[in-house]
Amino acid sequence: MMIVLRLAYAFILTCLIEYGVLVCLYEKKKEILLLSIFLNALTNIPLNLMGICLDLGLMHILWAEISIVLIEAVGYHCLLKNWKLSFLYSLLCNAISFFTGILLEIVYCLI
């Protein structure tokens, strides 16, 4: 049960952060905002599950994040039809949510 809660927490937090990033980038199309949630379900849940079950190190997580940026850029491109914008969305969303996650882990460890 604890794993399910951690996965849900990470997924919901990531979706909220990335939604906020897209809104800050002036994205208003509901299709793109919903696509963000779908892409996170596709990538965030497996990554966090592997991180929990396999106790991945930082380098493995970084390589996985690079793969996720590329996968999500392809997903965004399906709707945006613009590689630069698709890559920008994916890179910024994932970088900000990744570093927010690291900060939250640091704060959690300090408490």
Side-chain angles (χ1 to χ4, degrees):
M1 185 61 156
M2 192 64 165
I3 290 176
V4 173
L5 290 175
R6 282 186 69 183
L7 290 174
Y9 173 75
F11 175 70
I12 292 167
L13 188 59
T14 300
C15 287
L16 290 172
I17 291 167
E18 294 191 11
Y19 179 88
V21 171
L22 291 171
V23 169
C24 287
L25 293 170
Y26 301 106
E27 182 56 62
K28 295 177 182 163
K29 294 179 192 153
K30 287 185 175 141
E31 296 86 10
I32 300 297
L33 299 172
L34 290 173
L35 178 62
S36 172
I37 295 169
F38 172 76
L39 291 172
N40 275 302
L42 191 67
T43 58
N44 179 276
I45 294 170
L47 173 66
N48 282 293
L49 190 57
M50 286 188 325
I52 293 167
C53 294
L54 301 177
D55 194 29
L56 297 177
L58 184 59
M59 288 308 296
H60 289 104
I61 292 172
L62 286 175
W63 279 111
E65 284 288 345
I66 291 168
S67 300
I68 287 170
V69 166
L70 297 174
I71 291 166
E72 290 187 10
V74 170
Y76 283 120
H77 181 70
C78 290
L79 289 182
L80 294 171
K81 306 297 184 206
N82 178 327
W83 280 113
K84 284 185 181 181
L85 188 59
S86 299
F87 184 74
L88 177 70
Y89 277 12
S90 181
L91 182 64
L92 287 176
C93 284
N94 283 287
I96 292 170
S97 64
F98 176 76
F99 288 114
T100 302
I102 288 176
L103 287 174
L104 289 174
E105 282 290 323
I106 291 169
V107 169
Y108 179 75
C109 289
L110 292 175
I111 296 176

